[in-house]
Amino acid sequence: MALSLKELSKKEETFVSGHRLCAGCGAGTTFRQILMAAEDPVVMSVATGCLYVATATYPYTAWKCNWIHSAFENSAATISGIEAAYQSLKRQGKVTKTIKFIAVGGDGGTFDIGLQALSGALERGHKFLYVCYNNEAYMNTGIQRSGATPMGASTTTTPAGSASYGKPVFRKDLTGIVAAHNIPYLAQTTPAHWRDLMTKVKKALAADGPSFLNILSPCHRGWRNEMKDSINLARIAADTCYWPLYEVENGEYKLNYIPKEKKPITEWLKPQGRFKHIFAKGGNSAETGSTHRSGPNQELINKLQANVDKEWEKLLKKCNQGDKKPDLETVGT
């Protein structure tokens, strides 16, 4: 399943320029890669969110494929109905070509208000790929916290201040929740690792049943980073093991990337303005909300690092990685 930039450069793109996504937005890069990886015609269901608003404002569109706008909470249910109709038409001999189906939601529409629709579609066994472009908050409606928002992040509904250090709880393990559905294929990746992402899209679309990709998608408006640094931040997320690249194929866990040198979580936190209060003098305690007068909130930094370390060790055991190293040729950075 080799991918080469030379061959990809000859391929007609189906996510095209002219959209209104922010410069430095991870979603545009992500969906360009996803559609370039698809070999068959696709039908997409895209939930309300940044991606929909910025790419499909009537009468303009950046999508050169079959596409439907879905409500915030039910992209998976929408694609389920379309896929079921396709299977019926195939049985009747009215459709003969192979068509693939992709449902899309942000982290708000997936981790939170769309979780029931996603769970139902996975449990029923529809043959489709669900893509969560995960920018870790409700960015389209004002940067409110979501179930994907990391602990300590300052958002408009968990603002850091005199009584708070930001979001007080860890993010939800959505990839783990999806794995519990025992579907044929699921994975985590980022747009910084283009070959890894595109390889996983190919595997997901070829799966004999539902598949799922949780893709970390930088948002400079919500993360408060420099626009030029977005893709690099996605890369640092994997290098710190904050966002491990792994897949679960027919129940077997596999790590796709092990950093040569695991970087400390501070390298991922510091470039982002949503965490700047953690490093400022007078930051708040992770436990009590009391104010530190002397420097960064080391207590919270330690807590975040400990959680990354714990989750990384759990993943290594699931992958039974031992001395085996992943094939770095597949990662593509």
Side-chain angles (χ1 to χ4, degrees):
M1 200 174 287
L3 286 161
S4 79
L5 291 175
K6 183 178 180 181
E7 293 302 317
L8 289 172
S9 68
K10 300 174 185 175
K11 190 171 182 180
E12 180 184 6
E13 299 205 34
T14 45
F15 182 74
V16 299
S17 59
H19 56 72
R20 301 171 184 174
L21 290 166
C22 300
C25 173
T29 305
T30 294
F31 284 93
R32 187 180 179 203
Q33 293 176 8
I34 288 172
L35 289 182
M36 289 192 77
E39 297 294 338
D40 298 305
V42 299
V43 176
M44 298 191 66
S45 164
V46 178
T48 297
C50 298
L51 186 70
Y52 155 67
V53 170
T55 65
T57 303
Y58 183 81
Y60 306 105
T61 180
W63 304 88
K64 293 176 68 177
C65 60
N66 297 294
W67 194 94
I68 187 169
H69 170 221
S70 182
F72 209 155
E73 71 281 9
N74 61 0
S75 185
T78 299
I79 210 72
S80 296
I82 299 170
E83 189 267 350
Y86 166 74
Q87 298 296 349
S88 175
L89 291 171
K90 277 192 77 175
R91 288 193 295 272
Q92 297 173 52
K94 294 180 179 178
V95 173
T96 55
K97 70 168 61 173
T98 299
I99 301 173
K100 299 296 172 63
F101 300 90
I102 302 175
V104 177
D107 52 282
T110 307
F111 279 65
D112 301 332
I113 59 178
L115 184 58
Q116 47 77 25
L118 172 61
S119 179
L122 299 178
E123 188 263 339
R124 291 191 299 272
H126 294 279
K127 193 171 180 178
F128 76 110
L129 163 62
Y130 190 100
V131 176
C132 174
Y133 72 102
N134 178 0
N135 55 27
E136 301 193 318
Y138 290 83
M139 302 303 186
N140 183 51
T141 52
I143 317 175
Q144 299 92 351
R145 62 84 88 186
S146 77
T149 304
M151 174 185 273
S154 181
T155 71
T156 52
T157 48
T158 57
S162 59
S164 169
Y165 58 85
K167 189 187 176 191
V169 295
F170 290 112
R171 68 185 178 199
K172 192 185 296 182
D173 178 13
L174 181 66
T175 308
I177 292 170
V178 171
H181 288 73
N182 297 314
I183 61 174
Y185 186 80
L186 62 123
Q188 288 193 171
T189 186
T190 85
H193 304 82
W194 66 270
R195 186 176 281 121
D196 182 74
L197 188 153
M198 296 178 76
T199 300
K200 287 172 175 172
V201 170
K202 287 180 174 293
K203 284 188 176 183
L205 290 176
D208 186 21
S211 55
F212 174 84
L213 294 179
N214 195 353
I215 302 177
L216 188 67
S217 183
C219 169
H220 75 85
R221 292 289 300 129
W223 294 16
R224 303 300 184 195
N225 59 275
E226 295 288 334
M227 287 185 283
K228 63 180 178 59
D229 294 336
S230 290
I231 293 300
N232 193 45
L233 267 176
R235 186 174 295 112
I236 294 172
D239 288 340
T240 57
C241 299
Y242 168 81
W243 192 257
L245 308 186
Y246 72 98
E247 60 190 347
V248 185
E249 192 166 7
N250 297 317
E252 183 175 345
Y253 281 72
K254 180 183 178 183
L255 266 177
N256 307 111
Y257 177 62
I258 298 177
K260 290 180 181 176
E261 182 181 354
K262 184 182 173 190
K263 295 181 177 177
I265 191 63
T266 49
E267 293 203 21
W268 190 74
L269 300 173
K270 278 186 175 179
Q272 302 180 57
R274 60 179 174 162
F275 297 116
K276 69 178 182 181
H277 55 283
I278 295 176
F279 300 95
K281 290 184 178 180
N284 294 324
S285 166
E287 299 296 337
T288 64
S290 62
T291 301
H292 292 269
R293 298 294 182 189
S294 58
N297 187 343
Q298 193 60 48
E299 178 188 354
L300 179 54
I301 293 170
N302 292 344
K303 193 170 186 175
L304 295 172
Q305 183 66 65
N307 185 64
V308 168
D309 295 343
K310 182 185 74 173
E311 294 300 319
W312 177 245
E313 290 301 319
K314 283 167 58 178
L315 183 58
L316 287 175
K317 289 179 181 176
K318 286 180 181 177
C319 296
N320 193 25
Q321 205 70 31
D323 294 329
K324 290 188 298 184
K325 298 294 182 183
D327 181 5
L328 296 181
E329 289 299 315
T330 65
V331 174
T333 59

